[in-house]
Amino acid sequence: MSGKLMAAVSAAVLLWAVPALADGELHIYNWGDYTNPKLIEKFEKQYNVKVTLDDYDSNETMLSKVRAGNSGYDIVVPSDYTVKIMIEEGLLEKTEPNAMPNGKNIDPRFLNIYWDSGRHYTAPWQFGTTAFSVNTDKFKGDINTLAILFNPPDELKGQINVLDDVNTVMHAAERYAGVPRCGADKASLKKINDILMAAKPSWKTFSYDTITKITSGDVIVTEQWNGAAYRSRQKIPAIKYAYPKEGIEGWMDNVAVLKGAKNLENAKLFQDFVMAPENAALISEYAGYDNGIAGSHKFLPAEFANSPEISPPAGSPTPEFVPPCPPDVVEIYNKIWTNLRK
Amino acid sequence: MAEPRSIDIKEQPGFRSIAVICLLVLYVPVLILMIFSLNSGSLVTHWEGVTLGWYGSALRNEEFHNAARNTLIISISATIISTVCATLAAIGMTRVKPWRGLAAAFMVINLPLMVPEIITAVATLSFFALIAGTFGLNFGIGNLILAHTVFCIPFAYMPIRARLEDMDLTLEYAAADLYATPWKAFKRITLPLLVPGIMSGAALAFIVSFDDFTITQLVAGPGQTTLPLYIWNQIRRPMTPEINAISTILLLVSILFVSVSFLIARRRAK
Amino acid sequence: MTTATLSPTMPSKAALFEAQAVKAGARRNRLLSLPALLIIGIFGVLPLLIICVYSFLAAAPYGGVQWRFSTDAYLNFLFQRDIFDDTLQFTPDFLIIYLRSFLFAVVTTIICLLLGFPTAYFMATRPPAQRNWWVLLITIPFWSNLLVRTLAIMFIIRDEGLINNALLGLGVIDKPITMLYTNFAIQLGLLYAFLPFMVLPLYSSLEKLDFRLIEAAYDLYATRRQVLWRVIIPLSKPGIIAGCLLVFIPALGAYVTPLILGGGVHLMIGDLIAQQFGSGRNWPLGCAQALILMAAVLVALFFYVRNTSGKVQHG
């Protein structure tokens, strides 16, 4: 009797476990909390493809899983400098998104970029800036300076989250110190090291979970991306995104197809799919960043497109897109980073 | 030990209060978590009223379904494989004359318990990366099932072995005396007596697999998000009481299996 | 325990027959342990050997290994080229992280013992029917999801969490006390995670305690305190050692608890190792760090075996 019961239970489990029938599959590996479920649903319906979605929290995590080989993913969404690395390493499939039907929609500003000039490998996903946000209910002073992160006033000490991202933090420190990006010059590296060591006691956490950290009241200041700042402000209106006078980092995430992807055709379909303006708008609507596809703004609420996070106020610094640093500088960065967090 | 004094001599001052403190420390946080899963407000920490709505939205959530499905596929497969292997191993290591290498075999079986989980995790990751890179082999979700089976075996093994050691051998000998073949004797005598041990071992194997985070996180491939990984991803987003509801569901599953394992073991003791 | 010990109870003729049957069966039975040994051997032991090999290779620039012999991983554990003047210098960064984890593990073990021993003793001295319920109560958290339990702690101690809200509401404090993302939070989390690991082995050892010895001690006019220190504790030494080990080893390699409750400011061994496989992109270093942790565990196990040698352990 119990044998029958077991058989029935396992049969039920197996039935439930069989995936719904579809023409094909597509395995996407994207940043966490970044993909609009509606976008995936729409793609699944339109092409009858079963999509699985997993997330990572840094380019480095994604890269290490992909480099390990045979990861099983078809699509990844690396940031600018990571795209450059991946192309150099031969990790990406040359899918010519620029020649795809929707390739004509690529905003000319994002066509001949340093990481994929002419868009032979990647389609735009979203772009934005990295600075920091402050809960202005709890801090009233001037926020448009990197001193908030690196030499904070007393009331902000111990109330700061910085991104657990060596490049972002290093580049921010370089801007604060007024030295060039990726500089191998010993004197400037020493200067940066000193700034970081002095700032560290004021930092409460190193984390990517910026929205949670600032909206739960765990911190008053968090290093953040503009779209995340927009979403934080939807929860707590007093959260303000800063445009530090020392400079601001720009970035762009891009849809790329991994070399040897099992579902190559579906992956290409997906690249084309995300370049349609109404679909790009779906991406932006969810994650809160601009997308680099011309004509998508008319599908977005004006309130979003005109928000201070998306359209910087006049006089704000121009976003700087930083290419990957040379390996010897990366090595020194990593040493400074470990030393900082020992 | 039946003397009237016995209770008195066993007392030590203050021990009762420490025991109660221990229970409070262990239970208060999870109880609060469970209570707040019924909170109708959307902020995690402000109580607004009672609702079962978060359970509804958790159960309707497709990501949760996928995670639950993955978890069950992995846990059930790992439980079945590890329990079968552990049962065979327990017989092979108790119903024998001590053989050379027995001690070593015993160590191998228990090895997964001695190695810190993070080491097992990175070692398994390196292993699967190597065979994927060298031979192009990728078992998909099988990778996780195999990784789980490894650490489930010792957990399933322990209660089965304990049961075998406690068992009265007279019956097995009697069966042999009556010219039962070893297989028949095993099937008719040993196995039925062993069932409680096997059930208890299987329940433990299921729970450790069901709850595993560290190894799963490092080994999981595309579309292989399990419930603990799902919770991990949720913790890092703005939290709603839905995460408490999902956590409570996980806890209830664990409690169910521990209790079943415990009750079987207790029946055995009688 | 083994068939040999039971043979004398059998009639002599049958015993002879049995001895042969058991012997014949024994050969075959041995093979039954093969599947388990193979699975653990291939997917448990072999991976450990692979990381031994990996630790002596060079790191590939973006993760993975290059098949070139190198002792950099071990060298880098203690020595690094100075960032600023390129000399090879003693760099204690990793050592400090190991020492911090070690310290946390030791403190966790001690507090768990201080709380766990009285609890286990109290459980062991209940009437048998009650004992079972106590065991169940301690066992449930033991098998519950660690992530969920850590989440529960986080939920209570954050700045806008229950404790702070309650204290603020009662007017005891006017500014939230920062508890989450501090060493206190990590310590609390570890304690909470591993307390049952201490109580259960202590209990199984104390349960077998021969209370006639305690009675004898009282008959010889020992005080309660003397009975505890001179009789009960020495008799339960194997349980104490087993419990300490079961807390110490996982606490040393703890990964998820410090990650969530510590906020990533101070790394611990577990984070450090995982980091080398992710953003650190230095697999050989991660492997070397894992093996150094393993060595620490083996030292702990060695002390365990030495202290309990001669006694057979039962889970």
Side-chain angles (χ1 to χ4, degrees):
Chain A
M1 186 199 86
S2 69
K4 264 184 197 154
L5 186 71
M6 279 287 280
V9 170
S10 38
V13 168
L14 281 175
L15 278 179
W16 187 44
V18 173
L21 286 173
D23 279 354
E25 294 179 11
L26 184 66
H27 301 298
I28 302 176
Y29 196 29
N30 196 355
W31 295 77
D33 201 17
Y34 204 41
T35 318
N36 192 343
K38 282 187 211 154
L39 179 84
I40 298 299
E41 239 169 70
K42 190 175 169 193
F43 182 77
E44 285 185 322
K45 278 223 181 85
Q46 195 166 329
Y47 295 103
N48 197 22
V49 165
K50 172 89 186 108
V51 176
T52 67
L53 177 65
D54 290 307
D55 43 44
Y56 52 85
D57 57 11
S58 73
N59 283 306
E60 284 72 20
T61 305
M62 179 272 290
L63 207 50
S64 71
K65 201 137 198 168
V66 167
R67 290 245 346 168
N70 217 338
S71 66
Y73 295 108
D74 303 306
I75 293 268
V76 291
V77 188
S79 305
D80 39 62
Y81 70 96
T82 314
V83 172
K84 192 167 163 64
I85 292 171
M86 293 180 86
I87 292 175
E88 280 168 8
E89 293 254 309
L91 293 171
L92 299 184
E93 193 77 47
K94 201 165 185 183
T95 53
E96 304 292 352
N98 195 23
M100 290 178 179
N102 282 322
K104 61 178 190 298
N105 298 324
I106 299 175
D107 184 326
R109 282 183 297 160
F110 294 109
L111 192 54
N112 290 315
I113 57 281
Y114 80 80
W115 57 92
D116 181 12
S117 189
R119 289 280 174 195
H120 296 296
Y121 294 88
T122 62
W125 174 263
Q126 291 188 103
F127 70 92
T129 56
T130 312
F132 55 89
S133 303
V134 181
N135 185 337
T136 54
D137 271 346
K138 294 175 180 167
F139 177 74
K140 305 287 182 200
D142 174 28
I143 65 166
N144 288 327
T145 166
L146 283 171
I148 296 279
L149 292 181
F150 296 108
N151 187 14
D154 283 344
E155 64 253 60
L156 292 180
K157 286 196 167 128
Q159 295 294 344
I160 299 171
N161 172 55
V162 294
L163 291 170
D164 187 357
D165 182 318
V166 48
N167 288 313
T168 308
V169 175
M170 286 295 168
H171 293 331
E174 282 163 347
R175 286 186 193 99
Y176 183 62
V179 301
R181 259 36 88 223
C182 297
D185 173 47
K186 295 271 144 72
S188 18
L189 284 167
K190 178 124 186 66
K191 207 165 160 190
I192 293 162
N193 190 41
D194 292 344
I195 289 174
L196 291 172
M197 293 306 278
K200 192 206 167 184
S202 309
W203 295 347
K204 192 177 196 180
T205 49
F206 284 79
S207 170
Y208 283 104
D209 318 329
T210 62
I211 303 180
T212 315
K213 287 275 184 297
I214 195 162
T215 56
S216 67
D218 284 348
V219 294
I220 298 174
V221 178
T222 179
E223 203 177 7
Q224 203 168 30
W225 306 287
N226 60 331
Y230 173 78
R231 287 166 73 186
S232 304
R233 186 163 61 83
Q234 306 305 306
K235 302 209 176 236
I236 299 179
I239 292 175
K240 208 172 157 204
Y241 186 64
Y243 286 95
K245 59 176 190 284
E246 294 89 348
I248 193 164
E249 180 141 324
W251 51 263
M252 181 168 218
D253 292 335
N254 310 270
V255 181
V257 180
L258 287 174
K259 185 148 259 171
K262 286 214 177 65
N263 307 295
L264 181 61
E265 289 314 309
N266 289 339
K268 283 182 181 168
L269 284 176
F270 188 75
Q271 277 189 320
D272 188 47
F273 179 79
V274 298
M275 291 189 292
E278 64 275 20
N279 298 335
L282 277 179
I283 298 174
S284 294
E285 174 193 294
Y286 181 81
Y289 302 92
D290 210 340
N291 51 51
I293 296 296
S296 69
H297 278 217
K298 64 172 183 282
F299 297 98
L300 285 169
E303 183 257 343
F304 167 75
N306 301 329
S307 66
E309 291 86 1
I310 302 304
S311 307
S316 305
T318 320
E320 180 192 11
F321 290 79
V322 188
C325 300
D328 54 321
V329 176
V330 170
E331 207 188 321
I332 298 175
Y333 275 8
N334 281 338
K335 281 179 188 168
I336 295 181
W337 194 241
T338 310
N339 180 47
L340 185 68
R341 299 177 66 188
K342 71 182 176 213
Chain B
M1 273 199 284
E3 314 89 309
R5 267 175 66 183
S6 69
I7 287 301
D8 180 41
I9 64 157
K10 286 175 179 175
E11 282 304 312
Q12 282 289 341
F15 279 22
R16 175 189 296 266
S17 3
I18 295 180
V20 172
I21 290 174
C22 265
L23 275 195
L24 288 180
V25 166
L26 288 174
Y27 279 90
V28 167
V30 282
L31 285 179
I32 290 176
L33 185 98
M34 287 177 163
I35 292 168
F36 269 76
S37 70
L38 301 170
N39 182 9
S40 63
S42 66
L43 281 169
V44 194
T45 44
H46 295 271
W47 181 264
E48 283 173 31
V50 176
T51 177
L52 281 173
W54 297 110
Y55 286 89
S57 68
L59 292 174
R60 279 191 305 273
N61 182 336
E62 204 193 327
E63 279 184 73
F64 174 74
H65 284 185
N66 287 334
R69 181 187 299 136
N70 285 335
T71 308
L72 285 184
I73 293 173
I74 295 165
S75 304
I76 291 176
S77 315
T79 303
I80 293 173
I81 303 173
S82 62
T83 310
V84 170
C85 290
T87 308
L88 294 175
I91 294 169
M93 293 168 72
T94 52
R95 292 292 183 271
V96 288
K97 277 210 323 193
W99 40 288
R100 210 181 329 157
L102 186 65
F106 187 69
M107 260 187 65
V108 169
I109 298 266
N110 283 299
L111 183 85
L113 298 180
M114 321 258 190
V115 183
E117 223 189 340
I118 184 70
I119 298 180
T120 313
V122 296
T124 314
L125 169 71
S126 305
F127 174 75
F128 284 125
L130 183 70
I131 61 166
T134 322
F135 309 110
L137 269 180
N138 187 340
F139 307 121
I141 208 162
N143 283 357
L144 275 181
I145 294 175
L146 286 167
H148 279 219
T149 304
V150 168
F151 65 79
C152 284
I153 288 176
F155 283 100
Y157 177 84
M158 287 185 300
I160 299 172
R161 185 190 164 106
R163 178 78 183 161
L164 274 169
E165 282 179 346
D166 289 350
M167 238 149 70
D168 187 353
L169 281 177
T170 322
L171 284 171
E172 285 173 56
Y173 285 121
D177 268 354
L178 296 170
Y179 303 104
T181 60
W183 166 243
K184 251 191 182 153
F186 173 76
K187 202 179 130 190
R188 295 275 178 81
I189 309 288
T190 317
L191 195 59
L193 288 171
L194 197 53
V195 164
I198 294 175
M199 299 281 276
S200 172
L204 294 188
F206 182 82
I207 305 167
V208 285
S209 167
F210 185 79
D211 282 343
D212 181 72
F213 172 75
T214 307
I215 293 169
T216 312
Q217 195 208 18
L218 274 121
V219 176
Q224 295 169 8
T225 303
T226 63
L227 285 174
L229 292 193
Y230 177 71
I231 290 186
W232 167 251
N233 287 336
Q234 294 303 311
I235 291 179
R236 300 159 48 209
R237 295 173 190 180
M239 280 194 262
T240 64
E242 190 179 323
I243 186 74
N244 294 349
I246 291 171
S247 300
T248 306
I249 295 172
L250 250 74
L251 285 176
L252 292 177
V253 171
S254 299
I255 291 172
L256 180 75
F257 274 81
V258 181
S259 306
V260 166
S261 173
F262 177 79
L263 289 175
I264 292 169
R266 219 167 80 121
R267 203 176 57 187
R268 175 189 88 187
K270 275 181 186 169
Chain C
M1 194 174 114
T2 58
T3 49
T5 56
L6 275 156
S7 299
T9 64
M10 310 297 294
S12 59
K13 198 176 152 198
L16 201 67
F17 169 77
E18 281 316 322
Q20 285 163 344
V22 165
K23 208 169 171 181
R27 285 270 154 70
R28 266 171 285 142
N29 282 353
R30 229 184 257 193
L31 295 176
L32 293 176
S33 38
L34 216 56
L37 293 176
L38 274 179
I39 289 184
I40 297 183
I42 296 173
F43 300 103
V45 181
L46 193 59
L48 289 177
L49 297 178
I50 287 175
I51 61 169
C52 292
V53 174
Y54 271 21
S55 71
F56 287 104
L57 297 176
Y62 300 104
V65 291
Q66 289 173 323
W67 288 90
R68 180 161 59 75
F69 178 79
S70 159
T71 50
D72 279 2
Y74 291 95
L75 201 64
N76 284 349
F77 190 79
L78 289 179
F79 300 95
Q80 301 210 337
R81 296 229 168 266
D82 189 89
I83 307 167
F84 307 112
D85 61 13
D86 264 349
T87 53
L88 203 58
Q89 282 188 340
F90 175 68
T91 317
D93 295 5
F94 293 139
L95 211 55
I96 289 174
I97 292 170
Y98 272 64
L99 283 178
R100 173 182 305 118
S101 293
F102 184 79
L103 211 65
F104 269 117
V106 168
V107 174
T108 306
T109 311
I110 291 172
I111 302 179
C112 281
L113 184 60
L114 291 180
L115 281 175
F117 186 87
T119 307
Y121 183 83
F122 179 76
M123 286 162 65
T125 52
R126 292 309 91 198
Q130 255 187 52
R131 270 186 230 173
N132 279 326
W133 291 110
W134 274 92
V135 172
L136 180 63
L137 280 176
I138 298 289
T139 313
I140 285 173
F142 182 84
W143 295 112
S144 301
N145 194 305
L146 184 57
L147 197 62
V148 171
R149 298 201 292 136
T150 308
L151 178 66
I153 290 268
M154 180 177 179
F155 182 64
I156 291 174
I157 63 172
R158 66 179 358 155
D159 281 7
E160 295 182 2
L162 285 187
I163 292 181
N164 274 316
N165 279 355
L167 291 178
L168 286 169
L170 292 172
V172 182
I173 50 174
D174 51 50
K175 236 182 109 184
I177 307 168
T178 300
M179 288 177 283
L180 189 57
Y181 311 126
T182 61
N183 286 341
F184 167 78
I186 299 179
Q187 192 60 68
L188 185 70
L190 290 175
L191 176 68
Y192 178 61
F194 298 121
L195 186 57
F197 289 64
M198 179 66 86
V199 177
L200 291 174
L202 277 176
Y203 168 78
S204 67
S205 158
L206 284 166
E207 197 198 14
K208 295 184 201 112
L209 201 67
D210 186 348
F211 284 96
R212 284 172 306 186
L213 291 171
I214 296 177
E215 208 184 345
Y218 281 123
D219 285 345
L220 297 169
Y221 302 106
T223 62
R224 270 189 207 286
R225 185 174 284 261
Q226 281 170 327
V227 168
L228 177 64
W229 288 100
R230 301 259 179 96
V231 183
I232 301 175
I233 290 181
L235 282 174
S236 49
K237 200 173 145 202
I240 293 177
I241 295 173
C244 287
L245 217 57
L246 279 178
V247 172
F248 182 77
I249 293 178
L252 195 59
Y255 169 61
V256 69
T257 308
L259 200 60
I260 293 179
L261 297 177
V265 182
H266 294 298
L267 292 177
M268 303 263 283
I269 299 179
D271 310 323
L272 185 69
I273 294 174
Q275 200 187 59
Q276 305 310 327
F277 286 82
S279 58
R281 291 180 291 180
N282 193 338
W283 288 31
L285 183 59
C287 291
Q289 288 167 346
L291 290 172
I292 291 167
L293 170 61
M294 195 66 227
V297 169
L298 286 177
V299 170
L301 282 173
F302 171 75
F303 277 107
Y304 172 66
V305 171
R306 213 181 57 174
N307 274 300
T308 55
S309 57
K311 293 168 203 136
V312 182
Q313 287 300 305
H314 293 288

